[in-house]
Coordinates of all heavy atoms in Angstrom, one line a residue:
I6 N 97.9 104.4 118.4 CA 96.7 104.7 117.8 C 96.6 104.1 116.3 O 95.5 103.6 115.9 CB 96.4 106.2 117.8 CG1 95.0 106.4 117.3 CG2 97.4 106.9 116.9 CD1 94.5 107.8 117.5
W7 N 97.7 104.2 115.6 CA 97.6 103.7 114.2 C 97.5 102.2 114.1 O 96.7 101.7 113.2 CB 98.9 104.2 113.4 CG 98.9 105.6 113.2 CD1 99.8 106.5 113.7 CD2 98.0 106.4 112.5 NE1 99.5 107.8 113.4 CE2 98.4 107.8 112.6 CE3 96.9 106.1 111.7 CZ2 97.7 108.8 112.0 CZ3 96.2 107.1 111.1 CH2 96.6 108.5 111.2
R8 N 98.1 101.5 115.0 CA 97.9 100.0 115.0 C 96.5 99.6 115.2 O 95.9 98.8 114.5 CB 98.8 99.4 116.0 CG 100.3 99.4 115.6 CD 101.1 98.7 116.7 NE 102.5 98.9 116.5 CZ 103.3 98.4 115.5 NH1 102.8 97.5 114.7 NH2 104.6 98.7 115.4
E9 N 95.8 100.3 116.1 CA 94.5 100.0 116.5 C 93.5 100.4 115.3 O 92.7 99.6 114.8 CB 94.0 100.8 117.7 CG 92.6 100.5 118.2 CD 92.3 101.2 119.4 OE1 93.2 101.4 120.3 OE2 91.1 101.7 119.6
L10 N 93.7 101.6 114.8 CA 92.8 102.1 113.7 C 93.0 101.3 112.4 O 92.0 100.9 111.8 CB 93.2 103.6 113.5 CG 92.3 104.3 112.4 CD1 90.9 104.3 112.8 CD2 92.8 105.7 112.2
L11 N 94.3 101.1 112.0 CA 94.5 100.4 110.8 C 94.4 98.9 110.9 O 94.3 98.2 109.9 CB 95.9 100.8 110.2 CG 96.0 102.3 109.8 CD1 97.4 102.6 109.4 CD2 95.0 102.6 108.6
G12 N 94.3 98.4 112.1 CA 94.0 97.0 112.3 C 92.6 96.7 112.1 O 92.2 95.6 111.7
E13 N 91.7 97.7 112.2 CA 90.3 97.5 112.0 C 89.8 97.9 110.6 O 88.8 97.4 110.1 CB 89.5 98.4 113.0 CG 89.7 97.9 114.5 CD 89.0 98.9 115.4 OE1 88.2 99.7 115.0 OE2 89.3 98.8 116.6
H14 N 90.5 98.9 110.0 CA 90.1 99.4 108.7 C 91.3 99.3 107.7 O 92.4 99.6 108.1 CB 89.7 100.9 108.8 CG 88.7 101.1 109.9 ND1 87.3 100.8 109.6 CD2 88.7 101.5 111.2 CE1 86.6 101.1 110.7 NE2 87.4 101.5 111.7
R15 N 91.0 99.0 106.5 CA 92.0 98.9 105.4 C 91.6 99.9 104.3 O 90.9 99.5 103.4 CB 92.2 97.5 104.9 CG 92.7 96.5 105.9 CD 94.2 96.9 106.2 NE 94.6 96.1 107.3 CZ 95.9 95.7 107.4 NH1 96.8 96.1 106.5 NH2 96.2 95.0 108.4
P16 N 92.1 101.1 104.3 CA 91.7 102.0 103.2 C 92.4 101.6 101.9 O 93.5 100.9 102.0 CB 92.3 103.4 103.7 CG 93.3 103.1 104.8 CD 92.9 101.7 105.4
R17 N 91.8 101.9 100.8 CA 92.3 101.5 99.5 C 93.6 102.4 99.2 O 94.5 101.9 98.5 CB 91.3 101.8 98.4 CG 90.2 100.7 98.3 CD 89.4 100.9 97.1 NE 89.1 102.3 96.8 CZ 88.9 102.8 95.6 NH1 89.1 102.0 94.6 NH2 88.7 104.1 95.4
L18 N 93.6 103.6 99.8 CA 94.7 104.5 99.5 C 95.1 105.2 100.8 O 94.2 105.8 101.4 CB 94.3 105.5 98.4 CG 95.4 106.4 97.8 CD1 96.5 105.5 97.1 CD2 94.8 107.3 96.8
T19 N 96.4 105.1 101.2 CA 96.9 105.7 102.4 C 98.1 106.6 102.1 O 99.0 106.1 101.4 CB 97.3 104.6 103.4 OG1 96.2 103.8 103.7 CG2 97.7 105.3 104.7
F20 N 98.1 107.9 102.5 CA 99.2 108.8 102.3 C 99.9 109.0 103.7 O 99.2 109.1 104.7 CB 98.7 110.1 101.8 CG 98.3 110.1 100.4 CD1 97.0 109.8 100.0 CD2 99.2 110.4 99.4 CE1 96.6 109.8 98.7 CE2 98.8 110.4 98.0 CZ 97.5 110.1 97.7
T21 N 101.2 109.1 103.6 CA 102.0 109.5 104.8 C 102.9 110.6 104.4 O 103.2 110.8 103.2 CB 102.8 108.3 105.3 OG1 103.8 107.9 104.3 CG2 101.9 107.2 105.7
L22 N 103.4 111.4 105.4 CA 104.4 112.4 105.1 C 105.7 112.1 105.9 O 105.7 111.9 107.1 CB 103.9 113.8 105.6 CG 102.6 114.3 104.9 CD1 102.2 115.6 105.6 CD2 102.9 114.4 103.5
G23 N 106.8 112.0 105.1 CA 108.1 111.7 105.7 C 108.4 110.2 105.8 O 107.5 109.4 105.9
V24 N 109.6 109.9 105.7 CA 110.1 108.5 105.7 C 109.8 107.7 107.0 O 109.3 106.6 106.9 CB 111.6 108.4 105.3 CG1 112.1 106.9 105.4 CG2 111.8 109.0 104.0
P25 N 110.0 108.3 108.2 CA 109.8 107.5 109.4 C 108.3 107.1 109.5 O 108.0 105.9 109.9 CB 110.2 108.4 110.5 CG 111.1 109.4 109.9 CD 110.7 109.6 108.5
V26 N 107.4 108.0 109.2 CA 106.0 107.6 109.3 C 105.6 106.6 108.2 O 104.9 105.6 108.5 CB 105.1 108.9 109.1 CG1 103.6 108.5 109.1 CG2 105.4 109.9 110.2
F27 N 106.1 106.7 107.0 CA 105.9 105.7 106.0 C 106.3 104.3 106.4 O 105.6 103.4 106.3 CB 106.6 106.1 104.7 CG 106.5 105.0 103.6 CD1 105.5 105.0 102.7 CD2 107.5 104.0 103.5 CE1 105.4 104.0 101.8 CE2 107.4 103.1 102.5 CZ 106.3 103.1 101.6
N28 N 107.5 104.2 107.0 CA 108.0 102.9 107.4 C 107.2 102.3 108.5 O 106.9 101.1 108.5 CB 109.5 103.1 107.9 CG 110.4 103.3 106.8 OD1 110.1 103.0 105.6 ND2 111.5 104.0 107.1
E29 N 106.7 103.2 109.5 CA 105.9 102.6 110.6 C 104.5 102.2 110.0 O 104.0 101.1 110.4 CB 105.7 103.7 111.6 CG 104.8 103.3 112.8 CD 105.5 102.2 113.6 OE1 106.7 102.1 113.7 OE2 104.7 101.4 114.3
I30 N 103.9 103.0 109.2 CA 102.5 102.6 108.7 C 102.7 101.4 107.7 O 101.8 100.5 107.7 CB 101.9 103.8 108.0 CG1 101.7 104.9 108.9 CG2 100.6 103.4 107.3 CD1 100.7 104.6 110.1
R31 N 103.8 101.3 107.0 CA 104.0 100.1 106.1 C 104.1 98.9 107.0 O 103.5 97.8 106.6 CB 105.3 100.3 105.3 CG 105.6 99.2 104.4 CD 106.8 99.5 103.6 NE 107.4 98.3 103.1 CZ 108.4 97.6 103.6 NH1 109.0 98.2 104.7 NH2 108.8 96.5 103.1
T32 N 104.7 98.9 108.1 CA 104.8 97.8 109.0 C 103.4 97.4 109.5 O 103.0 96.3 109.6 CB 105.7 98.1 110.2 OG1 107.0 98.3 109.7 CG2 105.8 97.0 111.2
V33 N 102.6 98.4 110.0 CA 101.3 98.2 110.5 C 100.4 97.5 109.4 O 99.6 96.6 109.7 CB 100.7 99.5 111.0 CG1 99.2 99.3 111.3 CG2 101.4 100.0 112.2
L34 N 100.5 98.0 108.2 CA 99.7 97.5 107.1 C 100.2 96.2 106.5 O 99.6 95.7 105.6 CB 99.5 98.6 106.0 CG 98.7 99.8 106.4 CD1 98.8 100.9 105.4 CD2 97.2 99.4 106.7
R35 N 101.4 95.8 106.9 CA 102.1 94.7 106.4 C 102.3 94.8 104.9 O 102.0 94.0 104.0 CB 101.3 93.4 106.6 CG 101.2 93.1 108.1 CD 100.6 91.7 108.3 NE 100.5 91.5 109.8 CZ 99.3 91.3 110.4 NH1 98.2 91.4 109.7 NH2 99.3 91.1 111.7
G36 N 102.8 96.0 104.5 CA 103.1 96.3 103.1 C 104.2 95.5 102.5 O 105.1 95.0 103.2
G37 N 104.2 95.4 101.2 CA 105.2 94.7 100.5 C 106.4 95.6 100.3 O 106.7 96.6 101.0
D38 N 107.3 95.2 99.3 CA 108.5 96.0 99.0 C 108.1 97.4 98.7 O 107.1 97.7 98.2 CB 109.2 95.3 97.8 CG 109.8 94.0 98.1 OD1 110.0 93.7 99.3 OD2 110.0 93.2 97.2
T39 N 109.1 98.3 99.0 CA 108.9 99.7 98.7 C 109.5 100.1 97.4 O 110.7 99.7 97.1 CB 109.6 100.5 99.8 OG1 109.0 100.2 101.1 CG2 109.5 102.0 99.5
K40 N 108.7 100.7 96.5 CA 109.2 101.2 95.2 C 109.5 102.7 95.4 O 108.7 103.4 96.1 CB 108.1 101.1 94.2 CG 107.7 99.7 93.9 CD 106.6 99.6 92.9 CE 105.8 98.3 93.1 NZ 104.5 98.3 92.6
L41 N 110.6 103.2 94.9 CA 111.0 104.6 95.0 C 110.8 105.2 93.6 O 111.3 104.7 92.6 CB 112.5 104.7 95.4 CG 112.9 104.1 96.7 CD1 114.4 104.3 97.0 CD2 112.1 104.7 97.9
I42 N 110.0 106.3 93.6 CA 109.7 107.0 92.4 C 110.2 108.4 92.5 O 109.9 109.1 93.5 CB 108.2 107.0 92.2 CG1 107.7 105.6 92.0 CG2 107.8 107.8 90.9 CD1 106.2 105.4 92.0
P43 N 111.1 108.8 91.6 CA 111.6 110.2 91.6 C 110.5 111.2 91.8 O 109.5 111.2 91.1 CB 112.4 110.3 90.3 CG 112.7 108.9 89.9 CD 111.5 108.1 90.4
A44 N 110.7 112.2 92.7 CA 109.7 113.2 92.9 C 110.0 114.5 92.2 O 109.3 115.5 92.4 CB 109.6 113.4 94.5
G45 N 111.2 114.6 91.5 CA 111.5 115.8 90.8 C 112.3 116.8 91.6 O 112.5 118.0 91.2
W46 N 112.9 116.4 92.7 CA 113.8 117.3 93.5 C 115.2 116.8 93.5 O 116.0 117.1 94.4 CB 113.3 117.3 95.0 CG 112.1 118.1 95.2 CD1 111.9 119.5 95.2 CD2 110.8 117.6 95.5 NE1 110.6 119.8 95.5 CE2 109.9 118.7 95.7 CE3 110.3 116.3 95.7 CZ2 108.6 118.5 96.0 CZ3 109.0 116.1 96.0 CH2 108.1 117.2 96.2
G47 N 115.6 116.0 92.6 CA 116.9 115.5 92.6 C 116.9 114.0 93.0 O 115.8 113.4 93.3
R48 N 118.0 113.3 92.9 CA 118.1 111.9 93.1 C 117.8 111.4 94.5 O 117.4 110.3 94.7 CB 119.5 111.4 92.7 CG 119.7 111.5 91.3 CD 121.1 111.1 90.8 NE 122.0 110.8 91.9 CZ 123.1 110.1 91.8 NH1 123.4 109.6 90.6 NH2 123.8 109.8 92.8
K49 N 118.0 112.3 95.5 CA 117.8 111.8 96.9 C 116.4 111.8 97.4 O 116.0 111.2 98.4 CB 118.6 112.7 97.8 CG 120.1 112.5 97.7 CD 120.9 113.3 98.7 CE 122.3 113.1 98.6 NZ 123.1 113.8 99.6
I50 N 115.5 112.6 96.7 CA 114.1 112.7 97.2 C 113.2 111.9 96.3 O 113.1 112.1 95.1 CB 113.7 114.2 97.2 CG1 114.6 115.1 98.0 CG2 112.2 114.3 97.7 CD1 114.8 114.6 99.4
S51 N 112.5 110.9 96.9 CA 111.6 110.0 96.2 C 110.3 110.0 96.9 O 110.1 110.2 98.1 CB 112.2 108.6 96.1 OG 113.4 108.6 95.4
I52 N 109.3 109.6 96.1 CA 108.0 109.2 96.6 C 108.0 107.7 96.8 O 108.5 107.0 95.9 CB 106.9 109.6 95.6 CG1 106.8 111.1 95.5 CG2 105.5 109.1 96.1 CD1 105.9 111.6 94.4
R53 N 107.6 107.2 98.0 CA 107.6 105.8 98.3 C 106.3 105.2 98.1 O 105.3 105.8 98.4 CB 108.1 105.6 99.7 CG 109.5 105.9 99.9 CD 109.9 106.1 101.4 NE 111.3 105.9 101.6 CZ 112.3 106.7 101.1 NH1 112.0 107.7 100.4 NH2 113.5 106.5 101.4
V54 N 106.2 104.0 97.5 CA 105.0 103.3 97.2 C 105.1 101.9 97.7 O 106.1 101.2 97.4 CB 104.6 103.4 95.7 CG1 103.3 102.6 95.5 CG2 104.5 104.8 95.2
S55 N 104.1 101.4 98.4 CA 104.1 100.0 98.9 C 102.6 99.5 98.8 O 101.7 100.2 99.2 CB 104.6 99.9 100.3 OG 104.5 98.6 100.8
E56 N 102.5 98.3 98.2 CA 101.2 97.7 98.1 C 100.9 96.9 99.4 O 101.9 96.2 99.9 CB 101.1 96.8 96.9 CG 101.5 97.5 95.6 CD 100.5 98.5 95.1 OE1 99.3 98.4 95.4 OE2 100.9 99.4 94.4
Y57 N 99.7 96.9 99.9 CA 99.3 96.0 101.0 C 98.0 95.4 100.6 O 97.3 95.8 99.6 CB 99.2 96.7 102.3 CG 98.3 97.9 102.3 CD1 97.0 97.8 102.6 CD2 98.8 99.2 102.0 CE1 96.1 98.9 102.6 CE2 98.0 100.3 102.0 CZ 96.6 100.2 102.3 OH 95.8 101.3 102.4
E58 N 97.5 94.4 101.3 CA 96.3 93.7 101.0 C 95.1 94.7 101.0 O 94.8 95.3 102.0 CB 96.0 92.6 102.0 CG 94.8 91.8 101.7 CD 94.6 90.6 102.6 OE1 95.5 90.2 103.4 OE2 93.4 90.2 102.7
G59 N 94.6 94.9 99.8 CA 93.5 95.8 99.6 C 93.8 97.2 99.4 O 92.9 98.0 99.2
G60 N 95.1 97.6 99.3 CA 95.3 99.0 99.1 C 96.8 99.3 98.7 O 97.6 98.5 98.5
R61 N 97.0 100.6 98.6 CA 98.3 101.2 98.3 C 98.7 102.2 99.3 O 97.9 103.1 99.6 CB 98.3 101.7 96.9 CG 99.6 102.4 96.4 CD 99.5 102.9 95.0 NE 99.4 101.7 94.1 CZ 98.6 101.6 93.1 NH1 97.8 102.6 92.8 NH2 98.5 100.5 92.4
L62 N 100.0 102.2 99.8 CA 100.5 103.2 100.7 C 101.4 104.1 99.9 O 102.3 103.6 99.2 CB 101.3 102.5 101.8 CG 102.1 103.4 102.7 CD1 101.1 104.3 103.5 CD2 102.9 102.5 103.7
I63 N 101.2 105.4 100.0 CA 102.1 106.4 99.3 C 102.7 107.3 100.3 O 102.0 107.9 101.1 CB 101.2 107.2 98.3 CG1 100.6 106.3 97.3 CG2 102.1 108.3 97.6 CD1 99.6 107.0 96.3
G64 N 104.0 107.3 100.3 CA 104.8 108.1 101.2 C 105.4 109.3 100.5 O 106.2 109.2 99.6
L65 N 104.9 110.5 100.8 CA 105.3 111.7 100.2 C 106.5 112.3 101.1 O 106.5 112.1 102.3 CB 104.2 112.7 100.2 CG 102.9 112.3 99.4 CD1 101.8 113.3 99.6 CD2 103.3 112.0 98.0
P66 N 107.3 113.1 100.4 CA 108.3 113.8 101.2 C 107.6 114.8 102.1 O 106.5 115.2 101.9 CB 109.1 114.7 100.1 CG 108.8 114.0 98.8 CD 107.4 113.4 99.0
H67 N 108.2 115.1 103.3 CA 107.6 115.9 104.2 C 107.3 117.3 103.6 O 108.2 118.0 103.1 CB 108.4 116.1 105.5 CG 107.5 116.5 106.7 ND1 107.1 117.8 106.8 CD2 107.0 115.8 107.7 CE1 106.3 117.9 107.8 NE2 106.3 116.7 108.4
L68 N 106.1 117.7 103.6 CA 105.7 118.9 102.9 C 106.2 120.2 103.5 O 106.0 121.3 102.9 CB 104.2 119.0 102.7 CG 103.6 117.8 101.8 CD1 102.1 117.9 101.7 CD2 104.3 117.7 100.5
S69 N 106.7 120.1 104.7 CA 107.3 121.4 105.3 C 108.6 121.7 104.6 O 109.0 122.9 104.7 CB 107.5 121.2 106.8 OG 108.5 120.2 107.0
R70 N 109.2 120.8 103.9 CA 110.4 121.0 103.3 C 110.4 121.1 101.7 O 111.2 121.6 101.1 CB 111.4 119.9 103.6 CG 111.7 119.9 105.1 CD 112.7 118.9 105.4 NE 112.9 118.8 106.9 CZ 114.0 118.3 107.4 NH1 114.9 117.7 106.7 NH2 114.1 118.3 108.7
Y71 N 109.3 120.4 101.2 CA 109.3 120.3 99.7 C 107.9 120.6 99.2 O 106.9 120.1 99.7 CB 109.6 118.9 99.3 CG 111.0 118.4 99.7 CD1 111.1 117.7 100.9 CD2 112.1 118.9 99.1 CE1 112.4 117.3 101.3 CE2 113.4 118.5 99.5 CZ 113.5 117.7 100.6 OH 114.7 117.3 101.1
R72 N 107.8 121.5 98.2 CA 106.5 121.8 97.7 C 106.1 120.7 96.7 O 106.9 120.4 95.8 CB 106.6 123.2 96.9 CG 105.3 123.5 96.3 CD 105.4 124.9 95.6 NE 104.1 125.1 95.0 CZ 104.0 125.9 93.9 NH1 105.0 126.6 93.4 NH2 102.8 126.1 93.4
L73 N 105.0 120.1 96.9 CA 104.6 119.0 96.1 C 103.5 119.4 95.2 O 103.5 119.1 94.0 CB 104.1 117.8 97.0 CG 103.7 116.6 96.3 CD1 104.9 115.9 95.6 CD2 103.1 115.6 97.3
L74 N 102.4 120.0 95.7 CA 101.3 120.3 94.9 C 101.4 121.6 94.2 O 102.1 122.5 94.6 CB 100.0 120.2 95.8 CG 99.9 118.9 96.5 CD1 98.7 119.0 97.5 CD2 99.7 117.7 95.6
G75 N 100.7 121.7 93.0 CA 100.7 123.0 92.3 C 101.8 123.0 91.2 O 101.9 124.0 90.5
D76 N 102.7 122.1 91.1 CA 103.7 122.0 90.1 C 103.2 120.9 89.1 O 103.0 119.8 89.5 CB 105.0 121.6 90.7 CG 106.1 121.4 89.7 OD1 106.0 120.7 88.7 OD2 107.2 122.1 89.9
P77 N 103.0 121.3 87.8 CA 102.4 120.4 86.9 C 103.2 119.1 86.7 O 102.6 118.0 86.6 CB 102.4 121.2 85.5 CG 102.4 122.6 85.9 CD 103.2 122.6 87.3
R78 N 104.5 119.1 86.8 CA 105.3 117.9 86.7 C 105.1 117.0 87.9 O 104.9 115.8 87.7 CB 106.8 118.3 86.6 CG 107.7 117.1 86.4 CD 109.1 117.5 86.2 NE 109.5 118.3 87.4 CZ 110.7 118.7 87.6 NH1 111.7 118.4 86.8 NH2 111.0 119.4 88.7
R79 N 105.0 117.6 89.1 CA 104.8 116.7 90.3 C 103.4 116.3 90.4 O 103.1 115.2 90.8 CB 105.2 117.5 91.5 CG 106.8 117.6 91.5 CD 107.3 118.2 92.8 NE 108.7 118.5 92.6 CZ 109.1 119.7 92.4 NH1 108.3 120.8 92.4 NH2 110.4 119.9 92.2
D80 N 102.4 117.1 89.9 CA 101.0 116.7 89.9 C 100.9 115.5 89.0 O 100.1 114.5 89.4 CB 100.1 117.8 89.3 CG 100.0 119.0 90.3 OD1 100.4 118.9 91.5 OD2 99.4 120.0 89.8
A81 N 101.6 115.4 87.9 CA 101.5 114.3 87.0 C 102.1 113.0 87.6 O 101.6 111.9 87.5 CB 102.2 114.6 85.7
I82 N 103.2 113.2 88.4 CA 103.8 112.0 89.1 C 102.8 111.5 90.1 O 102.6 110.3 90.1 CB 105.1 112.5 89.8 CG1 106.2 112.8 88.7 CG2 105.6 111.4 90.7 CD1 107.4 113.5 89.3
I83 N 102.2 112.3 90.9 CA 101.2 111.9 91.9 C 100.0 111.2 91.3 O 99.6 110.1 91.7 CB 100.8 113.0 92.8 CG1 101.9 113.6 93.6 CG2 99.6 112.6 93.7 CD1 102.5 112.6 94.6
R84 N 99.5 111.8 90.2 CA 98.4 111.2 89.5 C 98.7 109.9 89.0 O 97.9 108.9 89.1 CB 97.9 112.2 88.4 CG 96.8 111.7 87.5 CD 95.5 111.3 88.2 NE 95.0 112.2 89.1 CZ 94.1 112.0 90.1 NH1 93.7 110.7 90.3 NH2 93.7 112.9 90.9
S85 N 99.9 109.7 88.4 CA 100.2 108.4 87.8 C 100.4 107.3 88.9 O 100.0 106.1 88.7 CB 101.5 108.5 87.0 OG 102.6 108.7 87.9
I86 N 100.8 107.7 90.1 CA 100.9 106.7 91.2 C 99.5 106.4 91.7 O 99.2 105.2 91.9 CB 101.7 107.3 92.4 CG1 103.2 107.5 92.0 CG2 101.6 106.5 93.6 CD1 104.0 108.3 92.9
I87 N 98.7 107.3 91.9 CA 97.3 107.0 92.3 C 96.5 106.2 91.3 O 95.8 105.2 91.7 CB 96.5 108.4 92.6 CG1 97.2 109.1 93.8 CG2 95.0 108.1 92.8 CD1 96.6 110.5 94.0
D88 N 96.7 106.4 90.0 CA 96.0 105.7 89.0 C 96.6 104.4 88.6 O 95.9 103.6 87.9 CB 95.9 106.6 87.7 CG 95.0 107.8 87.9 OD1 94.2 107.8 88.9 OD2 95.1 108.7 87.1
A89 N 97.8 104.1 89.1 CA 98.5 102.8 88.7 C 97.6 101.6 89.2 O 97.0 101.6 90.2 CB 99.9 102.8 89.3
Q90 N 97.6 100.6 88.3 CA 96.9 99.4 88.7 C 97.8 98.4 89.2 O 98.7 98.0 89.0 CB 96.1 98.9 87.4 CG 95.1 99.9 87.0 CD 94.0 100.1 87.9 OE1 93.6 99.2 88.7 NE2 93.5 101.3 88.0

């Protein structure tokens, strides 16, 4: 379904949850290199970012395991990724 949907539409901003989904959607969107941005849970947990033609893919840690929203420090990290040029 994702190949069909994203083959027809290119959103400016795409969010995924978890590494496997990020990797699959990055392939579908033909994303560039992946940048790892510390998410504030230690060195092993990162937010993944990849640019693709016309947009940006943001891979968040799976929210069933990590609280992302509502923490001012993490809110600032997410805002800086979304606003990056």
Side-chain angles (χ1 to χ4, degrees):
I6 187 170
W7 292 115
R8 288 185 192 281
E9 182 178 325
L10 181 63
L11 294 173
E13 297 175 13
H14 306 283
R15 292 294 171 150
R17 284 187 321 145
L18 192 57
T19 304
F20 286 91
T21 64
L22 297 179
V24 176
V26 177
F27 175 86
N28 290 336
E29 181 66 26
I30 298 299
R31 182 175 157 261
T32 299
V33 171
L34 293 171
R35 296 188 184 115
D38 291 339
T39 299
K40 299 174 201 160
L41 301 178
I42 299 171
W46 287 287
R48 294 180 350 164
K49 291 185 177 183
I50 306 302
S51 298
I52 296 170
R53 289 164 160 65
V54 179
S55 179
E56 306 291 331
Y57 57 87
E58 186 177 339
R61 176 175 293 136
L62 174 63
I63 300 174
L65 302 175
H67 200 287
L68 298 181
S69 68
R70 297 182 182 200
Y71 303 99
R72 181 176 174 206
L73 182 66
L74 305 175
D76 178 306
R78 182 177 57 172
R79 292 188 190 101
D80 289 349
I82 292 169
I83 296 295
R84 175 57 49 201
S85 70
I86 293 169
I87 292 171
D88 291 342
Q90 297 296 326

